[in-house]
Amino acid sequence: MTIRVLICDELPVIGDGLRTLLDAVPGIDVIGTTDNGMEAIVLVRTARPDVVVTDLNLRTISGLEMIRRLAKEETPPNVVVFTESDADKTVSDVLHAGVSCLLGKDARPQEIITAIHAAAAGQTVLAPSVAQRLVSWFRTQPHRQETVHPGTDELTTREREVVRMVARGMSTEEVARELYIGEATVRTHVYRVRTKLGVRDRAELVSLAYRAGLIQSDGPAFGDERVLSAVAARSR
């Protein structure tokens, strides 16, 4: 499949240089170049590139603002940022904006081509200096220990399945249908789990399940007891 690429850079010499490089690569089709952030948004809407390769310095609006606006499009392209700045704030802003790949202006031609292919596939590539700083930061974070709760080791495989489904907000009927068992059997499993873990109701069961590491949280909202209670209430 051909990857359609839009190049954005304030300096025409860099934009033209990237175009010359990419035009020679089989499977990559450069659909345009621009030094203008607003024009880039228009080109994305009309030409529908798969990947946008951009610097953060553009005319009319910054590359970062352009990326944020593109992320709100109905079908946003994947973005490769190609910039001189690797300051912590720049890296943070770019990654939070949803950029797929972040490279320095010292990137070799093959690294740029690899990043474009990775972005088109929804993967991530980071400049070595950026990746090293992120790894160093990660290693300084406190290690999260799972809370050990008496009784969790006594749960059977089926009981753990039921707990996971209850935590996702599935009703007794939905759990029974998913596992091809009767609703009475589901209630029995829930009762046994509550007895083993010493919890009073499903809300407390869901909360304990997350805290004990029986369920992996999909986001910060699952750490909120009110959210857990609401999920459990729906599954009564």
Side-chain angles (χ1 to χ4, degrees):
M1 182 181 296
T2 299
I3 302 173
R4 294 166 55 79
V5 177
L6 171 64
I7 299 171
C8 309
D9 199 289
E10 186 180 36
L11 299 177
V13 65
I14 294 180
D16 293 343
L18 285 173
R19 179 162 201 159
T20 300
L21 167 68
L22 298 178
D23 276 341
V25 179
I28 293 181
D29 177 22
V30 178
I31 57 94
T33 62
T34 181
D35 61 356
N36 186 310
M38 291 301 297
E39 182 180 27
I41 293 174
V42 173
L43 287 171
V44 167
R45 292 173 177 172
T46 55
R48 300 293 183 185
D50 303 300
V51 177
V52 174
V53 179
T54 184
D55 190 5
L56 297 181
N57 296 318
L58 299 176
R59 293 194 303 111
T60 65
I61 61 172
S62 70
L64 182 59
E65 178 60 24
M66 179 196 71
I67 294 166
R68 288 170 173 160
R69 296 191 187 188
L70 289 180
K72 298 177 182 179
E73 294 291 309
E74 183 176 351
T75 307
N78 292 309
V79 178
V80 175
V81 168
F82 183 63
T83 185
E84 290 180 338
S85 175
D86 66 350
D88 287 348
K89 187 175 188 315
T90 299
V91 172
S92 176
D93 288 345
V94 164
L95 294 181
H96 277 100
V99 166
S100 300
C101 304
L102 175 58
L103 300 177
K105 283 290 179 75
D106 59 349
R108 295 188 295 272
Q110 188 55 51
E111 291 175 328
I112 298 171
I113 296 168
T114 298
I116 290 172
H117 280 99
Q123 300 171 349
T124 300
V125 172
L126 299 176
S129 61
V130 174
Q132 182 58 50
R133 291 215 306 277
L134 288 175
V135 169
S136 298
W137 171 84
F138 178 80
R139 287 172 176 166
T140 64
Q141 304 307 300
H143 180 62
R144 181 178 176 182
Q145 299 290 339
E146 290 185 351
T147 303
V148 178
H149 188 279
T152 55
D153 292 339
E154 300 178 16
L155 299 182
T156 66
T157 300
R158 177 49 59 87
E159 287 169 348
R160 288 171 181 265
E161 285 181 319
V162 171
V163 169
R164 285 194 291 270
M165 292 179 181
V166 168
R168 293 207 305 266
M170 296 175 66
S171 66
T172 298
E173 180 181 1
E174 289 169 335
V175 174
R177 186 164 56 248
E178 180 74 16
L179 297 179
Y180 299 99
I181 58 179
E183 293 181 31
T185 303
V186 174
R187 294 190 182 93
T188 298
H189 283 311
V190 172
Y191 174 78
R192 288 176 177 171
V193 170
R194 286 169 51 189
T195 301
K196 290 179 181 180
L197 300 182
V199 296
R200 295 168 299 178
D201 53 34
R202 292 193 179 194
E204 190 174 341
L205 168 61
V206 176
S207 177
L208 185 148
Y210 277 100
R211 288 186 283 108
L214 295 175
I215 313 295
Q216 293 300 313
S217 170
D218 292 329
F222 284 105
D224 190 326
E225 295 292 335
R226 294 169 300 176
V227 175
L228 294 174
S229 297
V231 171
R234 183 186 179 279
S235 61
R236 286 192 181 95

Short mmCIF file of all heavy atoms in Angstrom, two decimals, residues 164-201:
data_model
loop_
_atom_site.label_atom_id
_atom_site.label_comp_id
_atom_site.label_asym_id
_atom_site.label_seq_id
_atom_site.Cartn_x
_atom_site.Cartn_y
_atom_site.Cartn_z
N ARG A 164 -13.84 -10.25 36.76
CA ARG A 164 -13.44 -9.33 35.68
C ARG A 164 -14.66 -8.78 34.94
O ARG A 164 -14.71 -7.59 34.59
CB ARG A 164 -12.50 -10.04 34.71
CG ARG A 164 -11.09 -10.22 35.23
CD ARG A 164 -10.14 -10.61 34.10
NE ARG A 164 -10.41 -11.95 33.60
CZ ARG A 164 -9.85 -13.05 34.07
NH1 ARG A 164 -8.99 -12.95 35.08
NH2 ARG A 164 -10.13 -14.23 33.56
N MET A 165 -15.63 -9.62 34.69
CA MET A 165 -16.82 -9.18 33.97
C MET A 165 -17.67 -8.24 34.82
O MET A 165 -18.21 -7.24 34.33
CB MET A 165 -17.63 -10.40 33.53
CG MET A 165 -16.94 -11.22 32.46
SD MET A 165 -17.88 -12.68 31.97
CE MET A 165 -16.76 -13.39 30.76
N VAL A 166 -17.79 -8.56 36.09
CA VAL A 166 -18.52 -7.68 37.01
C VAL A 166 -17.85 -6.31 37.06
O VAL A 166 -18.50 -5.27 37.04
CB VAL A 166 -18.60 -8.31 38.41
CG1 VAL A 166 -19.09 -7.28 39.43
CG2 VAL A 166 -19.52 -9.52 38.42
N ALA A 167 -16.51 -6.31 37.08
CA ALA A 167 -15.77 -5.05 37.15
C ALA A 167 -15.97 -4.21 35.90
O ALA A 167 -15.88 -2.98 35.94
CB ALA A 167 -14.29 -5.32 37.37
N ARG A 168 -16.24 -4.87 34.76
CA ARG A 168 -16.49 -4.13 33.52
C ARG A 168 -17.92 -3.60 33.46
O ARG A 168 -18.29 -2.93 32.50
CB ARG A 168 -16.23 -5.03 32.30
CG ARG A 168 -14.78 -5.43 32.13
CD ARG A 168 -14.46 -5.72 30.67
NE ARG A 168 -15.35 -6.71 30.10
CZ ARG A 168 -15.08 -8.02 30.06
NH1 ARG A 168 -13.94 -8.47 30.58
NH2 ARG A 168 -15.92 -8.86 29.50
N GLY A 169 -18.71 -3.91 34.47
CA GLY A 169 -20.07 -3.39 34.51
C GLY A 169 -21.11 -4.30 33.89
O GLY A 169 -22.24 -3.88 33.65
N MET A 170 -20.74 -5.56 33.61
CA MET A 170 -21.69 -6.48 33.00
C MET A 170 -22.71 -6.94 34.03
O MET A 170 -22.39 -7.19 35.19
CB MET A 170 -20.94 -7.68 32.40
CG MET A 170 -20.02 -7.31 31.25
SD MET A 170 -19.01 -8.70 30.63
CE MET A 170 -20.30 -9.74 29.93
N SER A 171 -23.94 -7.09 33.59
CA SER A 171 -25.00 -7.56 34.47
C SER A 171 -24.91 -9.07 34.65
O SER A 171 -24.17 -9.76 33.92
CB SER A 171 -26.36 -7.20 33.87
OG SER A 171 -26.57 -7.93 32.68
N THR A 172 -25.68 -9.59 35.61
CA THR A 172 -25.70 -11.03 35.82
C THR A 172 -26.11 -11.76 34.55
O THR A 172 -25.52 -12.78 34.17
CB THR A 172 -26.68 -11.37 36.96
OG1 THR A 172 -26.23 -10.75 38.17
CG2 THR A 172 -26.76 -12.88 37.18
N GLU A 173 -27.11 -11.23 33.86
CA GLU A 173 -27.57 -11.84 32.62
C GLU A 173 -26.49 -11.83 31.56
O GLU A 173 -26.29 -12.82 30.84
CB GLU A 173 -28.81 -11.09 32.11
CG GLU A 173 -29.37 -11.67 30.81
CD GLU A 173 -30.59 -10.89 30.33
OE1 GLU A 173 -30.95 -9.90 31.00
OE2 GLU A 173 -31.14 -11.24 29.28
N GLU A 174 -25.77 -10.72 31.45
CA GLU A 174 -24.71 -10.61 30.44
C GLU A 174 -23.56 -11.57 30.74
O GLU A 174 -22.99 -12.19 29.84
CB GLU A 174 -24.20 -9.17 30.37
CG GLU A 174 -25.20 -8.21 29.76
CD GLU A 174 -24.81 -6.75 29.94
OE1 GLU A 174 -24.06 -6.44 30.90
OE2 GLU A 174 -25.26 -5.92 29.14
N VAL A 175 -23.20 -11.70 32.02
CA VAL A 175 -22.14 -12.63 32.41
C VAL A 175 -22.55 -14.06 32.07
O VAL A 175 -21.77 -14.85 31.53
CB VAL A 175 -21.81 -12.49 33.91
CG1 VAL A 175 -20.81 -13.57 34.34
CG2 VAL A 175 -21.26 -11.11 34.22
N ALA A 176 -23.79 -14.40 32.41
CA ALA A 176 -24.28 -15.75 32.13
C ALA A 176 -24.24 -16.05 30.63
O ALA A 176 -23.83 -17.14 30.21
CB ALA A 176 -25.72 -15.88 32.66
N ARG A 177 -24.66 -15.08 29.82
CA ARG A 177 -24.66 -15.28 28.37
C ARG A 177 -23.24 -15.41 27.83
O ARG A 177 -22.97 -16.24 26.96
CB ARG A 177 -25.38 -14.10 27.70
CG ARG A 177 -25.57 -14.29 26.20
CD ARG A 177 -26.60 -13.32 25.63
NE ARG A 177 -26.26 -11.93 25.93
CZ ARG A 177 -26.97 -11.16 26.75
NH1 ARG A 177 -28.04 -11.62 27.36
NH2 ARG A 177 -26.61 -9.89 26.96
N GLU A 178 -22.33 -14.61 28.36
CA GLU A 178 -20.94 -14.65 27.89
C GLU A 178 -20.27 -15.97 28.22
O GLU A 178 -19.49 -16.51 27.42
CB GLU A 178 -20.16 -13.48 28.52
CG GLU A 178 -18.70 -13.40 28.13
CD GLU A 178 -18.50 -12.90 26.71
OE1 GLU A 178 -19.46 -12.33 26.14
OE2 GLU A 178 -17.40 -13.08 26.19
N LEU A 179 -20.56 -16.51 29.41
CA LEU A 179 -19.90 -17.73 29.87
C LEU A 179 -20.72 -19.00 29.59
O LEU A 179 -20.30 -20.10 29.95
CB LEU A 179 -19.61 -17.63 31.37
CG LEU A 179 -18.65 -16.52 31.81
CD1 LEU A 179 -18.48 -16.52 33.32
CD2 LEU A 179 -17.29 -16.69 31.13
N TYR A 180 -21.90 -18.82 28.99
CA TYR A 180 -22.78 -19.96 28.69
C TYR A 180 -23.13 -20.75 29.94
O TYR A 180 -23.06 -21.98 29.97
CB TYR A 180 -22.13 -20.89 27.65
CG TYR A 180 -21.84 -20.23 26.33
CD1 TYR A 180 -20.56 -19.76 26.04
CD2 TYR A 180 -22.85 -20.02 25.39
CE1 TYR A 180 -20.29 -19.13 24.83
CE2 TYR A 180 -22.58 -19.39 24.18
CZ TYR A 180 -21.30 -18.95 23.91
OH TYR A 180 -21.04 -18.32 22.72
N ILE A 181 -23.50 -20.02 31.00
CA ILE A 181 -23.93 -20.64 32.23
C ILE A 181 -25.23 -19.98 32.68
O ILE A 181 -25.62 -18.94 32.14
CB ILE A 181 -22.86 -20.54 33.35
CG1 ILE A 181 -22.52 -19.06 33.62
CG2 ILE A 181 -21.61 -21.32 32.97
CD1 ILE A 181 -21.50 -18.87 34.73
N GLY A 182 -25.89 -20.55 33.66
CA GLY A 182 -27.13 -19.98 34.14
C GLY A 182 -26.90 -18.78 35.04
O GLY A 182 -25.84 -18.62 35.65
N GLU A 183 -27.93 -17.92 35.12
CA GLU A 183 -27.83 -16.74 35.98
C GLU A 183 -27.67 -17.13 37.44
O GLU A 183 -26.96 -16.47 38.21
CB GLU A 183 -29.07 -15.85 35.80
CG GLU A 183 -29.16 -15.23 34.41
CD GLU A 183 -30.37 -14.34 34.26
OE1 GLU A 183 -30.79 -13.73 35.27
OE2 GLU A 183 -30.92 -14.25 33.15
N ALA A 184 -28.33 -18.23 37.85
CA ALA A 184 -28.19 -18.69 39.23
C ALA A 184 -26.74 -19.09 39.52
O ALA A 184 -26.23 -18.85 40.63
CB ALA A 184 -29.12 -19.87 39.49
N THR A 185 -26.08 -19.67 38.52
CA THR A 185 -24.68 -20.07 38.69
C THR A 185 -23.80 -18.83 38.85
O THR A 185 -22.86 -18.82 39.65
CB THR A 185 -24.20 -20.89 37.48
OG1 THR A 185 -25.06 -22.04 37.33
CG2 THR A 185 -22.77 -21.37 37.67
N VAL A 186 -24.10 -17.78 38.07
CA VAL A 186 -23.34 -16.53 38.20
C VAL A 186 -23.49 -15.97 39.61
O VAL A 186 -22.51 -15.58 40.24
CB VAL A 186 -23.81 -15.49 37.16
CG1 VAL A 186 -23.10 -14.15 37.40
CG2 VAL A 186 -23.53 -15.97 35.75
N ARG A 187 -24.72 -15.96 40.10
CA ARG A 187 -24.95 -15.43 41.46
C ARG A 187 -24.21 -16.26 42.50
O ARG A 187 -23.68 -15.71 43.48
CB ARG A 187 -26.45 -15.41 41.75
CG ARG A 187 -27.24 -14.44 40.88
CD ARG A 187 -28.67 -14.28 41.39
NE ARG A 187 -29.44 -13.40 40.54
CZ ARG A 187 -30.19 -13.82 39.52
NH1 ARG A 187 -30.29 -15.12 39.25
NH2 ARG A 187 -30.85 -12.94 38.78
N THR A 188 -24.16 -17.56 42.27
CA THR A 188 -23.42 -18.43 43.20
C THR A 188 -21.94 -18.11 43.19
O THR A 188 -21.29 -18.03 44.25
CB THR A 188 -23.62 -19.91 42.82
OG1 THR A 188 -25.02 -20.24 42.92
CG2 THR A 188 -22.83 -20.82 43.74
N HIS A 189 -21.38 -17.89 41.98
CA HIS A 189 -19.95 -17.53 41.88
C HIS A 189 -19.69 -16.22 42.62
O HIS A 189 -18.71 -16.10 43.36
CB HIS A 189 -19.55 -17.39 40.41
CG HIS A 189 -19.34 -18.70 39.71
ND1 HIS A 189 -18.58 -19.72 40.24
CD2 HIS A 189 -19.80 -19.15 38.51
CE1 HIS A 189 -18.57 -20.75 39.40
NE2 HIS A 189 -19.31 -20.42 38.33
N VAL A 190 -20.56 -15.22 42.40
CA VAL A 190 -20.38 -13.93 43.06
C VAL A 190 -20.45 -14.08 44.57
O VAL A 190 -19.65 -13.50 45.32
CB VAL A 190 -21.42 -12.91 42.56
CG1 VAL A 190 -21.35 -11.62 43.38
CG2 VAL A 190 -21.22 -12.61 41.07
N TYR A 191 -21.40 -14.87 45.03
CA TYR A 191 -21.55 -15.08 46.47
C TYR A 191 -20.30 -15.73 47.05
O TYR A 191 -19.80 -15.32 48.11
CB TYR A 191 -22.78 -15.96 46.74
CG TYR A 191 -22.92 -16.35 48.20
CD1 TYR A 191 -23.42 -15.44 49.14
CD2 TYR A 191 -22.53 -17.62 48.63
CE1 TYR A 191 -23.51 -15.80 50.48
CE2 TYR A 191 -22.63 -17.98 49.96
CZ TYR A 191 -23.13 -17.07 50.88
OH TYR A 191 -23.22 -17.42 52.20
N ARG A 192 -19.78 -16.75 46.37
CA ARG A 192 -18.58 -17.43 46.86
C ARG A 192 -17.37 -16.50 46.87
O ARG A 192 -16.56 -16.55 47.80
CB ARG A 192 -18.30 -18.66 45.99
CG ARG A 192 -19.29 -19.80 46.21
CD ARG A 192 -19.03 -20.94 45.25
NE ARG A 192 -19.95 -22.06 45.51
CZ ARG A 192 -20.06 -23.12 44.70
NH1 ARG A 192 -19.33 -23.20 43.61
NH2 ARG A 192 -20.91 -24.08 45.00
N VAL A 193 -17.24 -15.68 45.84
CA VAL A 193 -16.12 -14.72 45.79
C VAL A 193 -16.23 -13.74 46.95
O VAL A 193 -15.24 -13.46 47.64
CB VAL A 193 -16.11 -13.96 44.45
CG1 VAL A 193 -15.11 -12.81 44.50
CG2 VAL A 193 -15.74 -14.90 43.31
N ARG A 194 -17.43 -13.21 47.17
CA ARG A 194 -17.63 -12.26 48.27
C ARG A 194 -17.31 -12.92 49.61
O ARG A 194 -16.70 -12.30 50.49
CB ARG A 194 -19.07 -11.75 48.26
CG ARG A 194 -19.36 -10.75 47.16
CD ARG A 194 -20.84 -10.47 47.02
NE ARG A 194 -21.45 -10.13 48.31
CZ ARG A 194 -22.76 -10.02 48.50
NH1 ARG A 194 -23.59 -10.24 47.49
NH2 ARG A 194 -23.24 -9.69 49.67
N THR A 195 -17.68 -14.19 49.76
CA THR A 195 -17.40 -14.90 51.01
C THR A 195 -15.90 -15.10 51.20
O THR A 195 -15.36 -14.87 52.29
CB THR A 195 -18.11 -16.27 51.01
OG1 THR A 195 -19.52 -16.07 50.88
CG2 THR A 195 -17.83 -17.03 52.30
N LYS A 196 -15.21 -15.50 50.14
CA LYS A 196 -13.78 -15.74 50.23
C LYS A 196 -13.00 -14.45 50.53
O LYS A 196 -12.00 -14.47 51.25
CB LYS A 196 -13.25 -16.36 48.93
CG LYS A 196 -13.71 -17.80 48.71
CD LYS A 196 -13.17 -18.33 47.38
CE LYS A 196 -13.63 -19.77 47.14
NZ LYS A 196 -13.12 -20.31 45.86
N LEU A 197 -13.45 -13.35 49.93
CA LEU A 197 -12.73 -12.08 50.09
C LEU A 197 -13.25 -11.25 51.26
O LEU A 197 -12.65 -10.23 51.61
CB LEU A 197 -12.81 -11.26 48.80
CG LEU A 197 -12.23 -11.92 47.55
CD1 LEU A 197 -12.33 -10.98 46.36
CD2 LEU A 197 -10.79 -12.35 47.77
N GLY A 198 -14.38 -11.66 51.83
CA GLY A 198 -14.91 -10.95 52.98
C GLY A 198 -15.45 -9.57 52.65
O GLY A 198 -15.29 -8.63 53.43
N VAL A 199 -16.11 -9.44 51.48
CA VAL A 199 -16.69 -8.15 51.11
C VAL A 199 -18.20 -8.22 51.22
O VAL A 199 -18.81 -9.30 51.10
CB VAL A 199 -16.27 -7.74 49.68
CG1 VAL A 199 -14.77 -7.53 49.61
CG2 VAL A 199 -16.71 -8.79 48.66
N ARG A 200 -18.84 -7.06 51.42
CA ARG A 200 -20.27 -7.03 51.69
C ARG A 200 -21.13 -6.98 50.43
O ARG A 200 -22.22 -7.53 50.39
CB ARG A 200 -20.61 -5.81 52.56
CG ARG A 200 -20.00 -5.86 53.95
CD ARG A 200 -20.13 -4.52 54.64
NE ARG A 200 -19.41 -3.48 53.89
CZ ARG A 200 -19.38 -2.20 54.25
NH1 ARG A 200 -20.06 -1.79 55.30
NH2 ARG A 200 -18.69 -1.32 53.54
N ASP A 201 -20.66 -6.28 49.40
CA ASP A 201 -21.48 -6.13 48.20
C ASP A 201 -20.59 -6.05 46.98
O ASP A 201 -19.37 -6.10 47.07
CB ASP A 201 -22.37 -4.88 48.31
CG ASP A 201 -21.57 -3.63 48.66
OD1 ASP A 201 -20.40 -3.53 48.20
OD2 ASP A 201 -22.10 -2.76 49.35
#
